[in-house]
Amino acid sequence: MAINRKHAEPDTVVVGGGLMGACLAWGLARQGLRVCVLDEGDIALRASRANFALIWVQGKGLGFPAYTAWTKAAAAAWPRLAAELNADTGIDVGLDQPGGFSLCLSDRELQSNVDVLRRLHDQPGAVAHPYEVLDHGQTKARLPAIGHEVSGSIYCPLDGHVNSLRLFRALHAAFQARGIDYRADHAVEAIEPHNGAFVLKGTWGEMRAPKIVLAAGLGNARLAPMVGLDAPMKSSRGQIIVTEKAAPFLRYPVVTVRQTDEGGVMIGDSEEATNVNLTTDHGISSVMADRAIRMFPQLEELNVVRTWSAFRVMTLDGSPVYEQSRTHPGAFIAMAHSGVTLAPQHAYDLAEAVAAGTIPDELAVFATRRFHVPAYA
C-alpha cells in the first residue's frame, strides 16, 4: 500500500527527477523521510532517457583509485537494488551481469587499452579489478559473432547491463510505493537560504524544506552557487543508435555495443565537446555504425529504428561529485556520469549520508576541492 506524505512539508527536496534524483529520492524515502522531487519534466535535457545502461567497472578510476572502489561496490550491490525495486513495483529491470568486453580493431588499440589498465592497477592506492586480455581466437570462443577485424579484447567479469527504460520506469513507479511527492513541470528558478532552511521558487510557486539535494544534471551549474556550492562540468554530447530486434547473438555487453533483453542492438561510441544543440550528427553516427559492423558483421543487415543525442553530466575529471555546502549546511549536490552503474550507491550509501546530514570520509574524497587543491592545501 502506498504511503501518503504529499500533504506534509517535506524533510528533503530533491531537485531533479532523472536517474540520479530518482535513486536518491527513493533511498531517502526508504529511511522514512518525507521526500518531494521537483522535476522539469520532459522539457529537461535528460541524460537518463538516453543512457547506454551499462554497469561498468572495467577501466574506471585511472588517477582516482577511490572511484574504482566506489564502482566495484556499486556493481556488487546491483542485485540488491534490482530485487528491492521489483519488490516495490513488480518491474523487472532486466539486470544481467555476465561480465563485459572491450573489443579492439587493431593490435595497437588492444595494447593501448591494456596499458591503461596496467597504469590503473599500478597507481598508488590502486584498487584492483579482475580482467583478462584475450586474442582473436579466445574472444571468438566467447563471442562467436565477431568479425575477422577484431584483433582481441579485454574482459572483466564484474560488468553487465540493465534495461534502461524499465529501470527509469521502476524508479518512478517506486515513488508511489514509497509516498514520494513527485512534481513534474516544476523547474526550480531560485533557491533562497532562510532561517536554517531553503525556499525553492519557480513559476509554479514556492516550497520550503530544511534539506535539499541538487541532482538536476546540467541544471546544477546554475543552481549550485545559490547555496554556496560548485558544479564543475564540461561539455559532452553523446549519440546512440538503436536497431530493430534481432535473434539473440550477443550474450555479453560490449562497451560500445549491447543487445538488449528485448532483442534490439544499441550502439554508442561517441563523445563530442559541444553543447550547442541535440541535433544528431550523421557523420558521427556513420563512424559509430562502421565500427560496430566491423566488430559484428551481421549488424549490416539490421535496420536502424531510431537515433538520438544527449548531453552527458560530465564533471571536469569524469568522476562523481558529492558535497555538502560549507556555507549552507543542509544543501547537497550530486553529479555523476555513470548514473546506471552507480545507482545502488546513490540509492543506499549517498542517500544515507544525506539523511544523516553529513558526508562521511569515504565520500568526502569526491568533493570539488580536488579541483582546487592549492586553495585547500
Side-chain angles (χ1 to χ4, degrees):
M1 181 176 178
I3 305 167
N4 189 353
R5 300 193 183 98
K6 293 186 178 183
H7 301 295
E9 182 179 283
D11 300 310
T12 305
V13 168
V14 177
V15 182
L19 187 54
M20 171 74 82
C23 285
L24 282 163
W26 180 76
L28 289 164
R30 286 180 69 254
Q31 299 174 69
L33 298 180
R34 297 186 303 272
V35 181
C36 178
V37 177
L38 299 179
D39 190 20
E40 283 187 290
D42 287 338
I43 63 171
L45 297 172
R46 198 192 300 285
S48 298
R49 289 198 175 122
N51 68 74
F52 204 58
L54 292 177
I55 299 167
W56 209 254
V57 177
Q58 185 176 159
K60 297 284 183 70
L62 182 61
F64 203 155
Y67 186 25
T68 309
W70 187 239
T71 303
K72 285 182 66 178
W78 248 105
R80 175 190 174 191
L81 178 61
E84 292 190 356
L85 285 176
N86 187 278
D88 270 6
T89 68
I91 297 173
D92 179 359
V93 300
L95 174 64
D96 186 24
Q97 291 178 282
F101 286 82
S102 293
L103 297 187
C104 301
L105 294 174
S106 69
D107 291 340
R108 176 179 292 182
E109 186 178 339
L110 178 60
Q111 187 60 54
S112 176
N113 286 357
V114 171
D115 289 344
V116 168
L117 288 177
R118 287 175 177 165
R119 287 165 53 203
L120 187 154
H121 285 80
D122 289 343
Q123 64 188 332
V127 177
H129 68 68
Y131 69 91
E132 298 176 59
V133 181
L134 308 175
D135 62 21
H136 175 85
Q138 292 167 323
T139 303
K140 193 170 183 64
R142 302 191 202 183
L143 297 174
I146 64 168
H148 69 274
E149 291 190 63
V150 174
S151 61
S153 67
I154 299 173
Y155 169 76
C156 174
L158 305 181
D159 298 330
H161 54 162
V162 296
N163 184 301
S164 56
L165 295 180
R166 287 211 300 269
L167 170 60
F168 198 57
R169 182 160 63 90
L171 284 163
H172 277 255
F175 285 0
Q176 182 174 0
R178 294 287 175 175
I180 296 168
D181 183 2
Y182 172 72
R183 304 191 184 190
D185 303 317
H186 276 58
V188 174
E189 296 180 355
I191 305 173
E192 298 177 0
H194 183 69
N195 292 337
F198 303 91
V199 179
L200 301 99
K201 299 181 178 182
T203 56
W204 43 269
E206 62 181 53
M207 176 177 290
R208 178 186 172 91
K211 191 177 293 181
I212 62 172
V213 185
L214 302 183
L218 300 174
N220 280 351
R222 177 178 58 85
L223 297 172
M226 299 179 187
V227 289
L229 287 164
D230 187 21
M233 286 186 282
K234 59 184 177 181
S235 172
S236 179
R237 185 180 71 177
Q239 297 185 187
I240 291 178
I241 300 170
V242 182
T243 75
E244 63 184 327
K245 295 178 182 179
F249 72 93
L250 187 52
R251 173 66 187 91
Y252 301 85
V254 174
V255 69
T256 57
V257 182
R258 57 179 288 264
Q259 185 170 29
T260 71
D261 56 342
E262 295 170 340
V265 177
M266 296 180 70
I267 301 167
D269 190 13
S270 72
E271 183 174 341
E272 307 156 64
T274 178
N275 59 0
V276 176
N277 58 58
L278 285 176
T279 302
T280 300
D281 185 322
H282 295 294
I284 291 176
S285 294
S286 296
V287 173
M288 290 164 53
D290 177 69
R291 280 187 59 87
I293 290 169
R294 290 166 66 193
M295 291 176 180
F296 299 100
Q298 69 192 76
L299 291 177
E300 190 169 16
E301 305 301 319
L302 297 180
N303 293 313
V304 171
V305 296
R306 64 183 184 276
T307 62
W308 67 72
S309 298
F311 293 127
R312 297 183 176 98
V313 180
M314 188 70 74
T315 65
L316 295 182
D317 62 2
S319 297
V321 164
Y322 313 119
E323 192 163 11
Q324 179 173 203
S325 174
R326 291 169 174 256
T327 57
H328 302 291
F332 296 80
I333 190 169
M335 300 164 50
H337 165 53
S338 300
V340 174
T341 298
L342 298 177
Q345 302 304 84
H346 299 154
Y348 299 127
D349 293 37
L350 184 57
E352 289 176 9
V354 172
T358 184
I359 298 292
D361 290 343
E362 59 267 29
L363 292 184
V365 68
F366 294 106
T368 55
R369 63 175 176 268
R370 68 182 189 265
F371 302 115
H372 313 286
V373 174
Y376 289 90

